[in-house]
Amino acid sequence: MANPSALETLIDLAQRDSDAIAKRLGSALKAVEEAEQKLVMLDGYRDEYVRKLDAAQMAGITPFAYHNFVAFIGKLDNAIIGQREVIKHAQYKADMEKKAWQESERKRLSYRTLNERAASEALALENKRDQKLMDDHAARGARYKQR
């Protein structure tokens, strides 16, 4: 079994690793949230332009203006498709960071468990030594009284 200072060093390194991964996970989750907000904004723009097109058609619209509306809505549709891909990629990255953080935490906790077990074993050994010393002392005292 490794000595306690080596385990403490491993625990410290695992904690730093876990903290760094947790920061990356936070950034990845923020990127997902921002990408989703951008999609909501794009969907909103698209809905607004569809309403404007409907209103323009009711009021009467030139073929040129109609073509411009449809072309712009098509560009928004492409942007929405692209943004969904951005979200998918950001979510994948967040999932990978979450798995890495969970693995890092598992490692850190296993080191801590090993350290606690080693401390417990050391305490038990020390208690056993103390008990043996007390038993030896009591036995000597009993032999001394018998003389």
Side-chain angles (χ1 to χ4, degrees):
M1 174 151 292
N3 67 42
S5 64
L7 280 172
E8 289 169 8
T9 300
L10 286 173
I11 291 168
D12 186 49
L13 291 172
Q15 182 66 54
R16 289 183 201 170
D17 188 46
S18 186
D19 290 347
I21 293 171
K23 285 180 185 175
R24 291 196 322 255
L25 174 57
S27 294
L29 291 172
K30 185 177 180 190
V32 170
E33 184 180 330
E34 289 172 353
E36 288 172 343
Q37 288 173 353
K38 188 171 182 181
L39 178 62
V40 168
M41 182 187 70
L42 287 169
D43 281 335
Y45 284 154
R46 186 190 188 288
D47 291 345
E48 180 183 337
Y49 275 89
V50 167
R51 281 193 302 276
K52 285 182 181 181
L53 175 59
D54 288 345
Q57 285 178 315
M58 296 291 244
I61 186 171
T62 66
F64 180 74
Y66 175 81
H67 174 74
N68 284 344
F69 265 110
V70 171
F72 187 71
I73 291 170
K75 287 179 182 177
L76 284 172
D77 286 341
N78 287 336
I80 288 169
I81 291 167
Q83 193 60 29
R84 286 192 177 124
E85 286 299 311
V86 168
I87 291 170
K88 194 184 326 179
H89 177 73
Q91 188 62 57
Y92 175 79
K93 186 172 180 184
D95 291 345
M96 292 296 103
E97 293 294 354
K98 182 179 180 184
K99 286 177 185 170
W101 177 77
Q102 288 171 333
E103 177 61 24
S104 158
E105 277 295 289
R106 187 197 59 73
K107 186 190 319 182
R108 184 184 65 81
L109 291 173
S110 67
Y111 288 152
R112 196 165 81 190
T113 300
L114 283 173
N115 195 36
E116 289 168 358
R117 194 175 298 148
S120 177
E121 288 172 4
L123 182 61
L125 190 61
E126 187 178 326
N127 287 341
K128 192 174 180 181
R129 280 189 207 131
D130 288 347
Q131 186 63 49
K132 184 174 177 352
L133 284 174
M134 288 175 26
D135 290 348
D136 289 348
H137 181 70
R140 270 188 302 232
R143 277 193 302 251
Y144 180 74
K145 286 183 182 176
Q146 286 178 348
R147 290 187 189 174

mmCIF file of all heavy atoms in Angstrom, residues 103-128:
data_model
loop_
_atom_site.group_PDB
_atom_site.id
_atom_site.type_symbol
_atom_site.label_atom_id
_atom_site.label_comp_id
_atom_site.label_asym_id
_atom_site.label_seq_id
_atom_site.Cartn_x
_atom_site.Cartn_y
_atom_site.Cartn_z
ATOM 1 N N GLU A 103 -15.664 10.375 -14.292
ATOM 2 C CA GLU A 103 -14.521 9.461 -14.156
ATOM 3 C C GLU A 103 -13.473 10.064 -13.219
ATOM 4 O O GLU A 103 -12.909 9.375 -12.370
ATOM 5 C CB GLU A 103 -13.909 9.169 -15.527
ATOM 6 C CG GLU A 103 -12.680 8.300 -15.494
ATOM 7 C CD GLU A 103 -12.904 6.916 -14.908
ATOM 8 O OE1 GLU A 103 -14.053 6.416 -14.928
ATOM 9 O OE2 GLU A 103 -11.923 6.332 -14.403
ATOM 10 N N SER A 104 -13.230 11.351 -13.363
ATOM 11 C CA SER A 104 -12.265 12.043 -12.515
ATOM 12 C C SER A 104 -12.714 12.014 -11.051
ATOM 13 O O SER A 104 -11.903 11.783 -10.146
ATOM 14 C CB SER A 104 -12.121 13.485 -13.021
ATOM 15 O OG SER A 104 -11.643 14.323 -12.035
ATOM 16 N N GLU A 105 -13.995 12.229 -10.821
ATOM 17 C CA GLU A 105 -14.529 12.179 -9.456
ATOM 18 C C GLU A 105 -14.437 10.763 -8.890
ATOM 19 O O GLU A 105 -14.118 10.576 -7.718
ATOM 20 C CB GLU A 105 -15.992 12.643 -9.436
ATOM 21 C CG GLU A 105 -16.145 14.142 -9.395
ATOM 22 C CD GLU A 105 -15.600 14.755 -8.119
ATOM 23 O OE1 GLU A 105 -16.204 14.579 -7.046
ATOM 24 O OE2 GLU A 105 -14.530 15.394 -8.188
ATOM 25 N N ARG A 106 -14.723 9.767 -9.725
ATOM 26 C CA ARG A 106 -14.632 8.379 -9.275
ATOM 27 C C ARG A 106 -13.201 8.075 -8.819
ATOM 28 O O ARG A 106 -12.979 7.473 -7.766
ATOM 29 C CB ARG A 106 -15.040 7.433 -10.405
ATOM 30 C CG ARG A 106 -15.132 5.970 -9.962
ATOM 31 C CD ARG A 106 -15.138 5.015 -11.134
ATOM 32 N NE ARG A 106 -13.956 5.106 -11.981
ATOM 33 C CZ ARG A 106 -12.738 4.663 -11.635
ATOM 34 N NH1 ARG A 106 -12.528 4.114 -10.464
ATOM 35 N NH2 ARG A 106 -11.728 4.792 -12.465
ATOM 36 N N LYS A 107 -12.227 8.516 -9.609
ATOM 37 C CA LYS A 107 -10.820 8.295 -9.268
ATOM 38 C C LYS A 107 -10.457 9.020 -7.974
ATOM 39 O O LYS A 107 -9.837 8.442 -7.076
ATOM 40 C CB LYS A 107 -9.923 8.784 -10.404
ATOM 41 C CG LYS A 107 -8.468 8.446 -10.191
ATOM 42 C CD LYS A 107 -7.488 9.094 -11.147
ATOM 43 C CE LYS A 107 -7.860 9.170 -12.567
ATOM 44 N NZ LYS A 107 -6.819 9.780 -13.401
ATOM 45 N N ARG A 108 -10.887 10.264 -7.862
ATOM 46 C CA ARG A 108 -10.576 11.052 -6.662
ATOM 47 C C ARG A 108 -11.170 10.395 -5.418
ATOM 48 O O ARG A 108 -10.505 10.262 -4.392
ATOM 49 C CB ARG A 108 -11.120 12.473 -6.814
ATOM 50 C CG ARG A 108 -10.765 13.407 -5.659
ATOM 51 C CD ARG A 108 -11.405 14.767 -5.821
ATOM 52 N NE ARG A 108 -12.845 14.721 -5.750
ATOM 53 C CZ ARG A 108 -13.545 14.670 -4.609
ATOM 54 N NH1 ARG A 108 -12.923 14.640 -3.445
ATOM 55 N NH2 ARG A 108 -14.863 14.649 -4.629
ATOM 56 N N LEU A 109 -12.419 9.949 -5.532
ATOM 57 C CA LEU A 109 -13.071 9.320 -4.384
ATOM 58 C C LEU A 109 -12.422 7.978 -4.036
ATOM 59 O O LEU A 109 -12.327 7.626 -2.859
ATOM 60 C CB LEU A 109 -14.566 9.142 -4.654
ATOM 61 C CG LEU A 109 -15.363 10.446 -4.713
ATOM 62 C CD1 LEU A 109 -16.797 10.177 -5.147
ATOM 63 C CD2 LEU A 109 -15.325 11.185 -3.384
ATOM 64 N N SER A 110 -11.957 7.245 -5.036
ATOM 65 C CA SER A 110 -11.294 5.965 -4.731
ATOM 66 C C SER A 110 -9.964 6.219 -4.024
ATOM 67 O O SER A 110 -9.609 5.482 -3.101
ATOM 68 C CB SER A 110 -11.109 5.121 -5.990
ATOM 69 O OG SER A 110 -10.207 5.710 -6.880
ATOM 70 N N TYR A 111 -9.243 7.259 -4.411
ATOM 71 C CA TYR A 111 -8.005 7.601 -3.703
ATOM 72 C C TYR A 111 -8.322 7.986 -2.262
ATOM 73 O O TYR A 111 -7.605 7.610 -1.336
ATOM 74 C CB TYR A 111 -7.270 8.760 -4.386
ATOM 75 C CG TYR A 111 -6.614 8.425 -5.700
ATOM 76 C CD1 TYR A 111 -6.444 9.401 -6.671
ATOM 77 C CD2 TYR A 111 -6.153 7.144 -5.979
ATOM 78 C CE1 TYR A 111 -5.840 9.110 -7.888
ATOM 79 C CE2 TYR A 111 -5.545 6.849 -7.184
ATOM 80 C CZ TYR A 111 -5.395 7.838 -8.130
ATOM 81 O OH TYR A 111 -4.791 7.548 -9.327
ATOM 82 N N ARG A 112 -9.381 8.761 -2.099
ATOM 83 C CA ARG A 112 -9.752 9.181 -0.745
ATOM 84 C C ARG A 112 -10.137 7.968 0.104
ATOM 85 O O ARG A 112 -9.765 7.878 1.271
ATOM 86 C CB ARG A 112 -10.890 10.206 -0.793
ATOM 87 C CG ARG A 112 -11.042 10.940 0.530
ATOM 88 C CD ARG A 112 -11.880 12.156 0.422
ATOM 89 N NE ARG A 112 -13.276 11.736 0.461
ATOM 90 C CZ ARG A 112 -14.293 12.514 0.200
ATOM 91 N NH1 ARG A 112 -14.081 13.755 -0.153
ATOM 92 N NH2 ARG A 112 -15.524 12.077 0.273
ATOM 93 N N THR A 113 -10.862 7.028 -0.489
ATOM 94 C CA THR A 113 -11.242 5.809 0.234
ATOM 95 C C THR A 113 -9.996 5.027 0.638
ATOM 96 O O THR A 113 -9.902 4.545 1.774
ATOM 97 C CB THR A 113 -12.175 4.942 -0.635
ATOM 98 O OG1 THR A 113 -13.349 5.702 -0.937
ATOM 99 C CG2 THR A 113 -12.562 3.661 0.063
ATOM 100 N N LEU A 114 -9.042 4.901 -0.301
ATOM 101 C CA LEU A 114 -7.787 4.216 0.031
ATOM 102 C C LEU A 114 -7.062 4.921 1.175
ATOM 103 O O LEU A 114 -6.536 4.275 2.079
ATOM 104 C CB LEU A 114 -6.864 4.170 -1.194
ATOM 105 C CG LEU A 114 -7.196 3.152 -2.261
ATOM 106 C CD1 LEU A 114 -6.292 3.345 -3.479
ATOM 107 C CD2 LEU A 114 -7.049 1.737 -1.721
ATOM 108 N N ASN A 115 -7.054 6.235 1.146
ATOM 109 C CA ASN A 115 -6.390 7.016 2.189
ATOM 110 C C ASN A 115 -7.078 6.805 3.536
ATOM 111 O O ASN A 115 -6.408 6.617 4.559
ATOM 112 C CB ASN A 115 -6.391 8.499 1.812
ATOM 113 C CG ASN A 115 -5.420 9.297 2.646
ATOM 114 O OD1 ASN A 115 -4.347 8.818 2.998
ATOM 115 N ND2 ASN A 115 -5.796 10.516 2.974
ATOM 116 N N GLU A 116 -8.416 6.817 3.532
ATOM 117 C CA GLU A 116 -9.160 6.602 4.779
ATOM 118 C C GLU A 116 -8.920 5.194 5.307
ATOM 119 O O GLU A 116 -8.756 4.992 6.515
ATOM 120 C CB GLU A 116 -10.659 6.847 4.556
ATOM 121 C CG GLU A 116 -10.987 8.306 4.352
ATOM 122 C CD GLU A 116 -12.403 8.545 3.834
ATOM 123 O OE1 GLU A 116 -13.145 7.571 3.590
ATOM 124 O OE2 GLU A 116 -12.747 9.732 3.678
ATOM 125 N N ARG A 117 -8.881 4.219 4.398
ATOM 126 C CA ARG A 117 -8.624 2.830 4.793
ATOM 127 C C ARG A 117 -7.225 2.710 5.394
ATOM 128 O O ARG A 117 -7.025 2.049 6.421
ATOM 129 C CB ARG A 117 -8.780 1.912 3.588
ATOM 130 C CG ARG A 117 -8.855 0.452 3.957
ATOM 131 C CD ARG A 117 -9.127 -0.424 2.759
ATOM 132 N NE ARG A 117 -10.410 -0.110 2.150
ATOM 133 C CZ ARG A 117 -10.677 -0.209 0.853
ATOM 134 N NH1 ARG A 117 -9.752 -0.644 0.022
ATOM 135 N NH2 ARG A 117 -11.858 0.104 0.379
ATOM 136 N N ALA A 118 -6.236 3.357 4.762
ATOM 137 C CA ALA A 118 -4.860 3.302 5.271
ATOM 138 C C ALA A 118 -4.784 3.956 6.654
ATOM 139 O O ALA A 118 -4.119 3.432 7.560
ATOM 140 C CB ALA A 118 -3.910 3.998 4.300
ATOM 141 N N ALA A 119 -5.488 5.079 6.830
ATOM 142 C CA ALA A 119 -5.491 5.751 8.133
ATOM 143 C C ALA A 119 -6.150 4.870 9.186
ATOM 144 O O ALA A 119 -5.676 4.773 10.324
ATOM 145 C CB ALA A 119 -6.208 7.095 8.027
ATOM 146 N N SER A 120 -7.213 4.212 8.809
ATOM 147 C CA SER A 120 -7.920 3.321 9.726
ATOM 148 C C SER A 120 -7.042 2.135 10.120
ATOM 149 O O SER A 120 -6.972 1.752 11.288
ATOM 150 C CB SER A 120 -9.212 2.842 9.066
ATOM 151 O OG SER A 120 -9.891 1.938 9.894
ATOM 152 N N GLU A 121 -6.341 1.561 9.139
ATOM 153 C CA GLU A 121 -5.438 0.445 9.424
ATOM 154 C C GLU A 121 -4.295 0.891 10.325
ATOM 155 O O GLU A 121 -3.892 0.161 11.236
ATOM 156 C CB GLU A 121 -4.905 -0.146 8.123
ATOM 157 C CG GLU A 121 -5.929 -0.926 7.339
ATOM 158 C CD GLU A 121 -5.447 -1.346 5.952
ATOM 159 O OE1 GLU A 121 -4.267 -1.100 5.616
ATOM 160 O OE2 GLU A 121 -6.266 -1.926 5.212
ATOM 161 N N ALA A 122 -3.758 2.085 10.080
ATOM 162 C CA ALA A 122 -2.672 2.602 10.911
ATOM 163 C C ALA A 122 -3.152 2.812 12.342
ATOM 164 O O ALA A 122 -2.434 2.495 13.310
ATOM 165 C CB ALA A 122 -2.132 3.911 10.328
ATOM 166 N N LEU A 123 -4.373 3.327 12.509
ATOM 167 C CA LEU A 123 -4.927 3.542 13.841
ATOM 168 C C LEU A 123 -5.141 2.209 14.550
ATOM 169 O O LEU A 123 -4.820 2.067 15.743
ATOM 170 C CB LEU A 123 -6.249 4.308 13.736
ATOM 171 C CG LEU A 123 -6.933 4.648 15.049
ATOM 172 C CD1 LEU A 123 -6.027 5.551 15.899
ATOM 173 C CD2 LEU A 123 -8.267 5.331 14.794
ATOM 174 N N ALA A 124 -5.644 1.222 13.827
ATOM 175 C CA ALA A 124 -5.869 -0.098 14.420
ATOM 176 C C ALA A 124 -4.530 -0.701 14.863
ATOM 177 O O ALA A 124 -4.439 -1.295 15.952
ATOM 178 C CB ALA A 124 -6.575 -1.014 13.430
ATOM 179 N N LEU A 125 -3.498 -0.563 14.040
ATOM 180 C CA LEU A 125 -2.171 -1.076 14.381
ATOM 181 C C LEU A 125 -1.629 -0.370 15.621
ATOM 182 O O LEU A 125 -1.075 -1.010 16.522
ATOM 183 C CB LEU A 125 -1.229 -0.894 13.187
ATOM 184 C CG LEU A 125 0.122 -1.566 13.265
ATOM 185 C CD1 LEU A 125 -0.037 -3.073 13.373
ATOM 186 C CD2 LEU A 125 0.941 -1.227 12.022
ATOM 187 N N GLU A 126 -1.808 0.944 15.668
ATOM 188 C CA GLU A 126 -1.347 1.717 16.825
ATOM 189 C C GLU A 126 -2.105 1.295 18.082
ATOM 190 O O GLU A 126 -1.497 1.120 19.155
ATOM 191 C CB GLU A 126 -1.561 3.209 16.557
ATOM 192 C CG GLU A 126 -0.973 4.107 17.621
ATOM 193 C CD GLU A 126 -1.154 5.574 17.294
ATOM 194 O OE1 GLU A 126 -1.122 5.934 16.102
ATOM 195 O OE2 GLU A 126 -1.332 6.349 18.252
ATOM 196 N N ASN A 127 -3.401 1.090 17.975
ATOM 197 C CA ASN A 127 -4.202 0.645 19.126
ATOM 198 C C ASN A 127 -3.741 -0.736 19.597
ATOM 199 O O ASN A 127 -3.685 -1.006 20.794
ATOM 200 C CB ASN A 127 -5.691 0.623 18.786
ATOM 201 C CG ASN A 127 -6.278 2.021 18.695
ATOM 202 O OD1 ASN A 127 -5.707 2.972 19.202
ATOM 203 N ND2 ASN A 127 -7.422 2.135 18.038
ATOM 204 N N LYS A 128 -3.430 -1.606 18.636
ATOM 205 C CA LYS A 128 -2.965 -2.954 18.967
ATOM 206 C C LYS A 128 -1.631 -2.879 19.712
ATOM 207 O O LYS A 128 -1.417 -3.583 20.708
ATOM 208 C CB LYS A 128 -2.831 -3.769 17.674
ATOM 209 C CG LYS A 128 -2.641 -5.233 17.877
ATOM 210 C CD LYS A 128 -2.675 -5.952 16.534
ATOM 211 C CE LYS A 128 -2.494 -7.447 16.725
ATOM 212 N NZ LYS A 128 -2.509 -8.158 15.440
#
